[in-house]
Structure formats: structure tokens, C-alpha cells
Amino acid sequence: MPQKNRTAKGVLGGLLGLVGLSAVAGILVTATVTPALAVAGAAGSQALDLFEKLPSYLEIDAPMEPSTFYGTGKDGKPFAMATFFDQNRTQVTFDQINPVMYDAVLSSEDKSFYEHGGVNIGATAKALIDNLRGTSSRGASTISQQYVKNVLVQQCEQGVLPGSEGYSDTIAQCWLDATNASGSDGIERKLQEMRYAIQIEKDYSKNEILLGYLNIASFGGTVYGIEAAANYYFNTSAANLTVAQAATLAGIVQNPNTYRIDMKGGTTTDSDGNAVNSEADGYKLTLDRRHYVLGRMLADGKITQAQYDEADASPIVPDIKPPSQGCAAAGNNAYFCQYVKTIVLSDPAFGDSGPERTKALYRDGLDIYTTLDMRVQEPSIIALRERVPANYDNQNFGAAGVTVEPSTGRVLAMTQNTNFRETTTDDQAFTSLVYASDQAHGGSGGFPVGSAYKLFTLIDWLEKGHSVNESINGRNQTLKMPAKCVGETYTFDTKTVGNFANNPGYTGTPMVFTRNSLNSGYFAMASKLDICDINKVADRMGVNPAKGGSTTDENYAFNVLGDKYISPLDMAGAYATVANKGTYCEPKAIDKVVNQEGEELPVPESKCSQVITPEVAATAAYALQGVMQRGGTGQDANPWDGTPLIGKTGSHNDYSTMMIESSTQATTAVFVGRTKGDESIWGQWTNGNLLQNIRYGIARDMQAAANQLLGGGDQFPKPDQNLTRRVLADLPSVVGQSVEDATRTLEEAGFSVSVATPIDSDVAAGLIAEQDPGAGRVATGTTVTITPSTGKPAAAAVPNVVGQKYAQAKKTIEDAGFKVAAPNCKGGDEVVAQVPTSGKATPGSTVTLACAGGNGDGDGD
């Protein structure tokens, strides 16, 4: 076990360090002038002057350390998801290292560590003289000096931003500058190293210096620090190293890239080109170095003869455990990990430039606590992977799901059917693209969202003061659809899109159109609005094309049905806005960032802002709840666990489908379809599911998991009375007008028109004979049926006069416009029969009467 405190001799060594160094400095400086044995004198005084002018204080910064992403596990506690590093290092405390490791490194590198004051004057002078004489090439750096050297290398490397010009060459130069031992520069470097070593001996305890050295030292390749070395080379921890393993690592640290034992083909070659220090030769160079270390440990009494014999006789058998870094190590969470990684590399919270942010991720040892929650994520993974294979038909069939928290924007789950791989491949089961996000955050460019985009027409409808109970002609028809921002009104025939199952449409309300997702009904609503305003609503609610730009960049009729390529995450945020009473919260993936010192750092900014009024949000939710209820298009995505839900289905042509649903606590958006191309998915089956219907089961299971974690959700606020009112308007009379004039009059008054088959009427041919409903106060949007006249007189009702006296019956029939034929009737006779008896007949035609006879007080015809 190493000593814990500096000895009295060590304290004295520190006090005498500067004095002794003047002599050493003199030797070093004189040695650059003549190869003869250097002596103190004028050169010594010059060296002392040089030494005194060197910087005397070394600020020891935290070494490079991996950054780690954390999520919340199923037990509610943080778990490490992925790490990122330039140098694989895990810092440990003094007590987390087996004492045999300290013994190994001190015996072989600096047996007087606890006695000197940072510089071993005698050993340094002797090594210098031996080097000058050519009798030895050994060095005399103490552990303190080696620590200084490693700190200086780290500081140099940390000053080189990743991605900067000449990065690799500059990094290599950092090591060369810190180890240069030739010429006057090498002399000055050595003096500087000594001076710093003396300084840190004053500022830190011996154990702190020894621990710092073992935590910072290189062990070959990207392996830094004793814990990472133990993990990597022997699949163990620093606390559990054996004597042989400790001696091996103590040997490696002396010349890391020569003695490393992870290269089966060797670390060097001999004069014949054969591999040296390879698996084939039992890592001979390292074995020899280990033999030396063990011998020093035995000589110093740190191990027994038996321990020495056992360790020295054992072969070097590495148990390499390659460090896993990057998002590929996150497994099923890799796509969320990649999304977070893009935030770290792009957000100013992690640096003002790309290289600074890269440095933060790979070197600063940040603990980044994300919003991912396995209590939602794991059921989401299962829900998607059980239904959508990673490569269904080699036609780019993919799926993605995301769940967010409306009140904060926190992304709780993000999953995908493919397997994560950074490198490109022809196997469509693998990709690094994040389907759930936009292109700037690792996304694939988004997908057409179909009828899910109708939300923005609904919001604009309500913001313009329209009611969800307003009656509208939702039949297929040709409409005029304004787009003022482009100075155009599109003439659009809704038959070009049609409705599901070739439904011709009907007159209804936005409530009905939303529940049934009637395309022609929504186009009719949009014709009373403006396409540009509808797209502005989407922009306000955080929805933009996944490839960049704004939803307002292009404006045309098809926008109503979501032909823009948008990420599922953006769509989830929009529906979450409705669930959050009109407040939109930007997506948030990082909750907390902690540096190596345990200090919390700023996290990426995530704003929440009111983008639609609570009244509009409540009324939109009122309409969207119908989608998730029995009979609604989204009923199959409802977990039916008692949680109030809003939602919307969406499909684009026959290759892209969406399902979005939300409680007041969680919003889930699911995409299933072609990630490239437009091959139809309709009517195809996989795992017992129709491809176009898979979205329902995935969204249902994801939402159910969120409902369970968050305790379901509250009832949505009651809709605004004004926005749910039954709207009445004055319906004018158009009887007597031409069909064209009547249609124009009614449409200008806000009504839809239907023209019926012409009827016989006294009205002139071609003019309107009847309208239904008639003039008066009726519901807005009512379809008025107008009926033109044939110009022929309309049939009149024939009065029934049976039982009347003939004289009275004759007058009744004639007054109705008919003629009377009654050859056997007199005025007082009773009419016992007539032809026709009832119904309608042409005015002026004859009605024949028959009488039973009587007193006859009138003449017959």
C-alpha cells in the first residue's frame, strides 16, 4: 500500500528543489554547447536566471472525459444510454484502485515518490551525465513530472477544436512538444516541467498527484486512465486488478503505443518485417516490460517471492472489451439518442461554434439527462417492432412513433422499425435517419401527413368566427379557393381527390366532417377561408417542412390535405398545442446538463407560447374528440382506458398513413408507410395486420403506456358557446328567377345550391317554380334546392263532391277550374258518383257526375 503523506525528506526535497535545479539547469544548458561533462559556473547562473523566468504555476484542468446521455429507466432512476469520447476515460477515486497498482507504477517509475519534492535531483543529474557519456539513455522523470507532462498534453489538445484545420497534425504536435528532449527547446521544456512539478507538490498531496497521474495517463489508442485501461484490456475494474494485470498496465503506461496488447498483428516489426509484440509472440515486448516491473516490485518488498513467481510465469492473455460509444450502443433507443446528439452539436447552449460543441460532447465529460422515459419508450418499441418488420418488402416500408408531453414539450418516447447504423448500407433494415424528426435533427425529410393536416383548416375556421355546427355543402363540387398571399383563387374540383370509399359527400357540419374525415367537406370549409391563412396556422403551431423553410412558402389547394412533407414530431407538437389549451411548447429532449465538477449548466432553450386562444383550442378539441369515439375514424387507436382523447387520422394517396392522438397529458404521433417512393401499401398484410391499419395499434399501445405513467388525463375544457352555435341567416326567395340568377343570389348569401328536375308550373319555362326551404331564417350553409318550371300548367286538385246536391257540386267543380258533365242530374239531385273522384287533373278538363234523382229544383246540363 503506498504511503498517504509526504515524508519529511520529501518536504525537504521540495524546499531544496529550486537550489538543486540551478545546478541541474547549468548542466542542461552547458550540455547544449559542448558534449563534455557539464559543470556549474557561468552557465549555471544563466540557467538559474532562465529557470526563474519560466511560468511557475500550472492550472490543472479537468482531463478529457466521455460525455454520457442518460434516460429514465423503468424503475424511475437514470440509466446510461450512450457515451461519446475522444479519450475513453472514467475517473475513479483513490480507494477505487487496487493498492497493487500503485505499488507497480511506483516501483517501476518512481520508487522515491513519497520522498522527493517533485524532482529527484540526484536521479536527474545522474541520468543526464549517463546520457551525455552514452552509458545509458534512461530518463529520470518523477511521477509528478509525468503528471505535469500529461496535463500539458491535455491542455494543448483541449485547445485544438475538433474539426479545425490541421486538427490531426496539431494534436500530434501537442505530444511532440510535451516530450521533446532535444536542443535548447527540449532543455527549456524539461526545466519548465520540473518547475511545475515542484509547484504542484506544494498545491496537492502525494496521493492526489498519484491518482491524478493514473486518471490522466494514456494506455494506448483512445484508452486513458487506469479504470478504462482495466476495463478495456482485462474486462475488469481498477479495484480488482491482479498482480500480473497491474504489472502489465504499469508496463504499458511507460510506452503506451508500443506496449499495448490489443493489436493481434503487433505494435511494431523487426528488421525482417515480422510482427513484434503480437498475439503470436505472446506480446513479447510487454512481457519483458512486465518482467521488469515485477522484479522492481519484488526488490522493493511490495510482493512476495510466491506472488512474483506466479505472476511472472503467467502469460499475457488480454480480455479485450471494446468501449462502446455513439448512438449505435443505445440499441432500441438509438434514434432518440441520435436526435439528442444533433441538438448538442447544433445548440448554442453547448458552444458558440460547431467545433466548440463537438468538444463539449466528446471531451468535456458532460452528464446529459434526457427526457426519454423507458416506461413509455419500451412499450412503444414493442408496439412498433411487433407489427412492422425492419425490412418488410425491400420497398422502403418504415414506421416511427413519438410521444411528447403537451405542457412541456418533453419527448418521452421515440422509436422506429429499422436498426440504427451510422454507415450506409443497401440493407433497408438499417439506417441512421431519424424518421420521427426533421432533417436538421437527423431526420429523413418528413412525410406527407394527409388528413392530419386538416387540424389547421379547423383552427382557421374557428379563428374566423365560424361554428363547428355550421351547415355546409360537403358534396363533391367545383370550388373557388382563395390564396391571397399569391394573389390567386384556385378553381378546384373536389372529385380530383375524392373521399374514402368513393363517398360523394353530403351536407353536414365541421363536427361531422372531422369525425368522418370527409375530404370534400374540408375543401368546402377551406373555400370559405384562405389557403395562406391555413398554412400560417400550421407555422404558428410549430409545423414546418422537414427539409427546412416554412409551411407558408408554397400555398395551393392540396395543402388542405397535408401534401407537405412534415415530421411526426412537428405534428405531435401541433396536436399537443390543442391539448395544452392553445399553448405550443417547442420539443424538449434535454432536462439537465452537469459538468465534471457536478455543476449544472444551461440547457437548450425550449419556449412555450400561446399561439391560439383557449376558446379556439377547447372547441377544436371538442370536434377532435369525435374522431376517437365510437364511429370515428380513429376509434381503433383508442385504448378505451377511460382517458379523454382527441385525435386525427391521416393518409396520403395509398402509401403514407398517420395516426395522432392526445390526452391532456401526452400526445402520440405515428407514421407508417413508404419512406421513399410511392408503392401502394393498401391491401397488403404483415404479421396479421393490414399495412394501412398498423398505425392504429401502434398509436393505441404507445398512448396507453403514456396514460398509465401520467395517470391518464383530465377532461378537455368545454367548447366556446359562440363557436358551437347553430348559425342562422336570411334565405331570400328566388322563385321566378332564372336558374343562373337564382344560383348566384343564393351563393352570394352564403348558401349552397342544388337544382332539381323541372316541374309543370304556371311560371314561365326555365324560371324557378319552387325552392326548398322557402324564404326565411335558416341555418347557414344550408343547401337550397331550386326547381325550374317546364312552362306547362301544373295539375290542380279535383274536389270530391259526392253527397252534395248537384247545384252545389257543379259550382264547386267549376270554381276549381274544371268543366262539369252531368246528363241525368238536376239541381236538387244528390251526387252519388264522380270521375275522377280525387287527385289532380289538368285545369279545364271535365269532371263527370252521376245523380240519384230528387225534387229537382234546378236545371240539368
Side-chain angles (χ1 to χ4, degrees):
M1 178 73 182
Q3 298 166 256
K4 293 185 177 292
N5 300 305
R6 185 180 289 108
T7 64
K9 185 176 179 181
V11 175
L12 181 60
L15 296 174
L16 297 177
L18 289 175
V19 177
L21 274 175
S22 65
V24 174
I27 296 173
L28 290 170
V29 173
T30 306
T32 66
V33 179
T34 174
L37 182 62
V39 293
S45 62
Q46 293 169 8
L48 182 58
D49 182 61
L50 169 65
F51 187 78
E52 289 175 346
K53 290 180 179 179
L54 290 173
S56 61
Y57 191 78
L58 174 65
E59 182 73 41
I60 299 179
D61 300 321
M64 295 185 197
E65 192 167 315
S67 291
T68 303
F69 290 173
Y70 292 91
T72 300
K74 293 183 69 175
D75 59 359
K77 298 178 181 178
F79 74 96
M81 185 191 318
T83 59
F84 303 84
F85 56 79
D86 272 350
Q87 297 182 356
N88 178 25
R89 174 185 285 109
T90 300
Q91 295 196 73
V92 289
T93 64
F94 196 89
D95 293 334
Q96 290 175 314
I97 301 175
N98 191 331
V100 72
M101 187 66 224
Y102 296 122
D103 292 336
V105 75
L106 291 178
S107 289
S108 59
E109 298 288 332
D110 189 0
K111 68 176 183 178
S112 302
F113 175 69
Y114 282 95
E115 299 171 1
H116 61 65
V119 178
N120 190 328
I121 302 299
T124 301
K126 186 176 186 304
L128 175 62
I129 293 171
D130 288 344
N131 290 342
L132 290 171
R133 286 174 171 169
T135 58
S136 173
S137 60
R138 69 186 181 90
S141 293
T142 64
I143 291 294
S144 301
Q145 288 173 262
Q146 292 183 50
Y147 182 37
V148 166
K149 179 181 68 178
N150 279 281
V151 169
L152 291 173
V153 171
Q154 282 273 302
Q155 289 181 344
C156 178
E157 290 177 340
Q158 287 178 326
V160 185
L161 293 178
S164 58
E165 186 176 354
Y167 171 77
S168 297
D169 291 340
T170 307
I171 288 292
Q173 192 63 44
C174 287
W175 175 258
L176 293 175
D177 290 345
T179 56
N180 176 33
S182 62
S184 59
D185 289 342
I187 300 301
E188 184 171 344
R189 181 201 66 77
K190 195 66 176 178
L191 290 173
Q192 181 68 80
E193 180 185 285
M194 292 175 177
R195 180 149 192 167
Y196 280 151
I198 293 170
Q199 171 246 311
I200 66 168
E201 288 271 351
K202 297 176 182 178
D203 295 340
Y204 300 94
S205 72
K206 283 289 188 179
N207 286 357
E208 288 172 333
I209 294 170
L210 181 57
L211 176 64
Y213 169 68
L214 285 175
N215 271 330
I216 199 173
S218 169
F219 284 84
T222 61
V223 181
Y224 287 78
I226 187 60
E227 180 70 12
N231 294 164
Y232 177 64
Y233 289 116
F234 297 114
N235 194 17
T236 188
S237 65
N240 293 313
L241 288 168
T242 66
V243 171
Q245 291 169 343
T248 303
L249 295 179
I252 290 175
V253 78
Q254 199 268 343
N255 195 337
N257 287 320
T258 296
Y259 294 136
R260 59 192 294 184
I261 54 174
D262 60 339
M263 301 177 70
K264 293 185 178 181
T267 56
T268 186
T269 56
D270 60 21
S271 58
D272 296 326
N274 298 316
V276 177
N277 208 51
S278 66
E279 184 179 40
D281 67 8
Y283 304 100
K284 185 177 186 310
L285 295 181
T286 310
L287 196 67
D288 291 344
R289 181 65 186 174
R290 187 190 71 174
H291 176 74
Y292 168 78
V293 174
L294 289 169
R296 297 306 309 156
M297 294 175 73
L298 178 63
D300 291 344
K302 301 300 183 182
I303 56 175
T304 65
Q305 185 67 50
Q307 287 176 306
Y308 170 85
D309 292 341
E310 180 183 4
D312 196 48
S314 66
I316 293 179
V317 182
D319 183 6
I320 303 297
K321 181 184 179 185
S324 59
Q325 74 153 322
C327 288
N332 290 329
N333 304 320
Y335 293 102
F336 176 80
C337 171
Q338 187 76 348
Y339 174 69
V340 176
K341 177 182 173 183
T342 64
I343 294 174
V344 174
L345 294 178
S346 63
D347 196 280
F350 295 94
D352 294 331
S353 68
E356 288 177 340
R357 294 189 284 270
T358 301
K359 171 183 172 293
L361 178 62
Y362 288 95
R363 297 180 178 178
D364 287 359
L366 303 178
D367 287 334
I368 299 173
Y369 294 88
T370 74
T371 57
L372 187 76
D373 195 313
M374 292 306 296
R375 292 167 291 186
V376 181
Q377 174 77 346
E378 186 169 285
S380 300
I381 293 167
I382 295 171
L384 193 148
R385 298 255 173 164
E386 284 186 346
R387 293 177 172 91
V388 188
N391 184 2
Y392 162 65
D393 60 359
N394 216 41
Q395 294 290 332
N396 301 291
F397 182 66
V402 61
T403 298
V404 302
E405 193 173 55
S407 60
T408 62
R410 297 175 72 248
V411 182
L412 302 176
M414 182 181 288
T415 187
Q416 191 165 311
N417 69 307
T418 53
N419 302 307
F420 185 85
R421 179 181 288 176
E422 292 276 10
T423 55
T424 56
T425 174
D426 292 333
D427 187 346
Q428 293 178 10
F430 299 88
T431 183
S432 64
L433 296 178
V434 184
Y435 296 159
S437 70
D438 58 22
Q439 199 166 68
H441 294 91
S444 60
F447 312 99
V449 299
S451 291
Y453 202 84
K454 288 174 182 173
L455 170 67
F456 310 115
T457 297
L458 176 62
I459 296 295
D460 194 47
W461 176 266
L462 296 171
E463 289 185 334
K464 295 295 194 303
H466 291 285
S467 167
V468 291
N469 287 318
E470 191 169 323
S471 182
I472 307 164
N473 177 10
R475 287 195 284 266
N476 280 325
Q477 58 191 303
T478 299
L479 299 167
K480 293 179 179 179
M481 304 184 69
K484 294 178 182 177
C485 61
V486 294
E488 188 170 350
T489 297
Y490 298 104
T491 300
F492 185 75
D493 186 351
T494 62
K495 289 181 182 178
T496 60
V497 174
N499 297 305
F500 182 73
N502 296 316
N503 189 320
Y506 44 81
T507 295
T509 65
M511 285 291 294
V512 177
F513 296 159
T514 302
R515 181 191 68 207
N516 298 338
S517 199
L518 188 73
N519 295 338
S520 56
Y522 260 84
F523 279 120
M525 291 166 62
S527 71
K528 301 177 185 296
L529 305 170
D530 188 284
I531 299 296
C532 301
D533 290 344
I534 291 171
N535 286 332
K536 286 178 182 177
V537 171
D539 184 72
R540 236 191 301 148
M541 296 176 73
V543 172
N544 285 296
K547 291 185 178 180
S550 169
T551 49
T552 61
D553 291 342
E554 294 180 332
N555 303 271
Y556 41 88
F558 283 105
N559 292 168
V560 175
L561 290 189
D563 60 327
K564 296 175 183 287
Y565 281 60
I566 300 165
S567 73
L569 182 58
D570 272 12
M571 293 302 296
Y575 279 81
T577 301
V578 175
N580 195 32
K581 302 178 182 179
T583 296
Y584 167 69
C585 292
E586 296 172 354
K588 179 179 181 180
I590 298 174
D591 282 333
K592 184 171 69 172
V593 178
V594 180
N595 66 14
Q596 290 187 47
E597 287 72 41
E599 302 164 335
E600 285 199 32
L601 303 180
V603 299
E605 187 176 7
S606 178
K607 296 179 180 177
C608 292
S609 54
Q610 192 83 38
V611 296
I612 58 177
T613 66
E615 293 78 16
V616 166
T619 309
Y622 176 61
L624 293 167
Q625 286 182 79
V627 174
M628 303 304 296
Q629 294 168 359
R630 302 291 183 188
T633 57
Q635 65 173 353
D636 289 343
N638 194 326
W640 302 109
D641 57 7
T643 302
L645 295 172
I646 63 173
K648 189 70 192 73
T649 53
S651 60
H652 181 78
N653 294 337
D654 55 5
Y655 65 86
S656 179
T657 68
M658 287 203 81
M659 181 68 228
I660 307 175
E661 58 186 284
S662 181
S663 68
T664 58
Q665 302 293 328
T667 306
T668 296
V670 170
F671 157 79
V672 178
R674 299 296 180 190
T675 59
K676 288 182 182 178
D678 55 4
E679 292 291 325
S680 175
I681 65 172
W682 247 251
Q684 299 183 50
W685 295 79
T686 182
N687 295 333
N689 298 289
L690 276 169
L691 300 191
Q692 71 264 27
N693 292 340
I694 288 176
R695 52 184 159 155
Y696 301 124
I698 297 171
R700 180 185 64 237
D701 291 354
M702 291 182 68
Q703 187 68 37
N707 292 348
Q708 183 175 3
L709 173 65
L710 302 172
D714 301 325
Q715 292 291 334
F716 289 94
K718 292 183 178 180
D720 183 80
Q721 291 184 349
N722 186 52
L723 298 177
T724 55
R725 71 193 185 283
R726 185 171 180 268
V727 181
L728 300 178
D730 291 324
L731 173 63
S733 173
V734 293
V735 174
Q737 297 182 13
S738 66
V739 172
E740 292 76 13
D741 289 344
T743 299
R744 182 171 57 255
T745 298
L746 292 171
E747 287 182 343
E748 288 177 351
F751 298 93
S752 299
V753 177
S754 175
V755 181
T757 303
I759 61 171
D760 295 339
S761 167
D762 292 336
V763 177
L767 301 184
I768 303 304
E770 295 178 355
Q771 73 176 65
D772 182 28
R777 296 281 290 175
V778 298
T780 57
T782 296
T783 298
V784 180
T785 301
I786 55 176
T787 307
S789 172
T790 62
K792 299 178 182 179
V798 177
N800 189 331
V801 295
V802 173
Q804 295 182 15
K805 297 295 184 179
Y806 169 69
Q808 179 61 39
K810 180 174 180 292
K811 183 177 185 305
T812 299
I813 291 173
E814 289 176 341
D815 287 346
F818 297 96
K819 296 177 182 179
V820 176
N824 64 338
C825 294
K826 295 181 179 180
D829 292 347
E830 180 181 351
V831 176
V832 295
Q834 74 176 67
V835 178
T837 58
S838 62
K840 291 186 176 182
T842 303
S845 60
T846 299
V847 177
T848 300
L849 304 179
C851 297
N855 295 326
D857 58 352
D859 296 331
D861 290 340

